[in-house]
Amino acid sequence: MDLGPQHLRMIDAIASARSISKAAIQLDLTQPAVSTMLRRVESHLGTQLFVRTPGGVTLTPVGAEVATRARAILAGLDDLDLVLAPPRERPDSPVLRIGLQACPLTGRVAGRLGSVLPFARVLLRVDPGCGTLTALLDSGALDLALYLEPELPPAASRAVRQVLIECEPVYIGVAADGPLAARAELELAELAGHEWVDDPSDSGPWPAYFRQRCAEAGFTPRVTYWCGNWEMAAALVAAGRALGCFFPVDQPREGVVLKPVRGTPLAQRVVLASDHAHLAAARRLRAELGRAYLELVAASPGYARWWDQHPLAHPALPPVGTCRKAG
């Protein structure tokens, strides 16, 4: 058998309700029908997805992974149905499909989308890198996208780009009790002998850019740890096991100190892109992004000093010193 949307919706319903009988009600099916469908899916996959308990069902580790992937696939299918639906079948309020790259700015602004864009129903996705977001924007599957791109010539795109920050330096996370923690700034070349932690799920140009900059500094980074969970990555850095690349506006993490690199050899642009039909929404969102980013800068004293000393890095945004005086 092939898994289809009906199987994925069944898995999602059981995982959400933690009960086969409640899932059956949601799916408008009988409990025996759902139980039979589940047995067939588990037989097809060759593994158990749920454990039956007196209080309902719980996910097995494999089941949790399958349920997560099922939800992601269903979200994509629902979005496709919405895009392709005839105009008379679409919701009265316009739908705005926004993609955000995971970063401190994303966390700061995500909760404000409803107030910034009250005219639309927002569909939001967050990705670890910019590769998928830019592809979806070019394909028409996204209307707006906020992402970070290394300081390389931008790839050709049909989207309208608005650069929020021209040069955001990348800081290096080091162990707070290690010898590098006492340094005011680091030289990239001196980090040749260290091990690094990197994110394997980053689909954008950052991994290649990082290695290119290290090669220009005379070494190939030894990426010993591959970790998509940045809490775990920070724990590895705090333990002195590896160095990692961090945003300059990252929140303080126990045991980790963020250090600038002399000459800013690692940097990225913060970009908001949209199609031509959503320029007005993009302008409204850009204004809020600017305010949110200045809040992050003001809360990071070391970066705030760099920010005020490098106005060309952010010609669209003022120094934080100016903001304080205005306040």
Side-chain angles (χ1 to χ4, degrees):
M1 64 176 274
D2 293 327
L3 291 183
Q6 71 276 20
H7 303 113
L8 301 181
R9 295 193 190 281
M10 177 269 298
I11 293 169
D12 180 36
I14 297 175
S16 299
R18 303 285 177 171
S19 164
I20 293 177
S21 59
K22 292 179 181 178
I25 295 172
Q26 293 179 20
L27 298 168
D28 197 22
L29 296 171
T30 66
Q31 181 174 340
V34 174
S35 297
T36 299
M37 187 187 302
L38 176 58
R39 284 196 299 272
R40 288 176 178 170
V41 169
E42 290 180 328
S43 176
H44 170 71
L45 296 176
T47 187
Q48 188 175 7
L49 302 181
F50 297 92
V51 176
R52 283 70 171 174
T53 69
V57 296
T58 59
L59 285 160
T60 65
V62 174
E65 177 67 17
V66 171
T68 299
R69 291 175 181 261
R71 287 171 182 143
I73 294 169
L74 290 170
L77 291 175
D78 291 343
D79 181 50
L80 185 61
D81 287 342
L82 184 63
V83 171
L84 299 179
R88 64 180 179 276
E89 296 180 10
R90 295 179 185 173
D92 293 335
S93 59
V95 174
L96 197 58
R97 300 161 303 168
I98 300 178
L100 303 176
Q101 183 173 347
C103 65
L105 183 56
T106 298
R108 180 66 65 122
V109 79
R112 307 181 189 182
L113 292 176
S115 59
V116 177
L117 306 167
F119 57 86
R121 185 166 72 93
V122 173
L123 300 182
L124 177 67
R125 65 173 290 150
V126 179
D127 282 64
C130 70
T132 302
L133 294 177
T134 52
L136 291 173
L137 188 62
D138 269 342
S139 72
L142 285 178
D143 304 314
L144 297 168
L146 171 71
Y147 55 88
L148 302 103
E149 60 184 18
E151 285 197 314
L152 297 170
S157 172
R158 295 181 299 173
V160 181
R161 291 162 41 87
Q162 300 183 58
V163 179
L164 187 69
I165 299 161
E166 291 285 352
C167 175
E168 181 189 72
V170 174
Y171 281 17
I172 305 300
V174 304
D177 59 357
L180 295 177
R183 302 279 298 279
E185 61 180 3
L186 306 175
E187 295 277 359
L188 185 57
E190 71 178 323
L191 305 179
H194 292 268
E195 297 180 346
W196 293 79
V197 59
D198 202 355
D199 185 353
S201 59
D202 190 336
S203 61
W206 169 262
Y209 166 80
F210 170 62
R211 285 153 181 77
Q212 175 187 327
R213 288 291 186 258
C214 290
E216 292 169 358
F219 71 98
T220 299
R222 295 194 318 225
V223 179
T224 311
Y225 302 97
W226 295 94
C227 182
N229 182 313
W230 279 96
E231 291 301 323
M232 177 62 71
L236 290 168
V237 173
R241 306 293 300 178
L243 304 180
C245 295
F246 288 81
F247 299 101
V249 292
D250 259 317
Q251 292 298 309
R253 300 170 186 266
E254 185 176 358
V256 177
V257 178
L258 304 186
K259 294 295 178 180
V261 185
R262 183 172 299 168
T264 318
L266 297 170
Q268 50 199 3
R269 290 183 288 264
V270 181
V271 179
L272 177 65
S274 71
D275 58 23
H276 289 270
H278 295 89
L279 282 175
R283 292 190 185 102
R284 293 187 67 173
L285 182 56
R286 176 177 177 169
E288 184 61 28
L289 289 169
R291 287 189 287 269
Y293 195 88
L294 288 173
E295 293 171 3
L296 289 169
V297 176
S300 308
Y303 181 45
R305 288 190 293 273
W306 186 95
W307 177 271
D308 286 354
Q309 293 166 3
H310 296 81
L312 294 181
H314 49 91
L317 293 175
V320 292
T322 302
C323 298
R324 292 193 187 102
K325 291 175 184 176

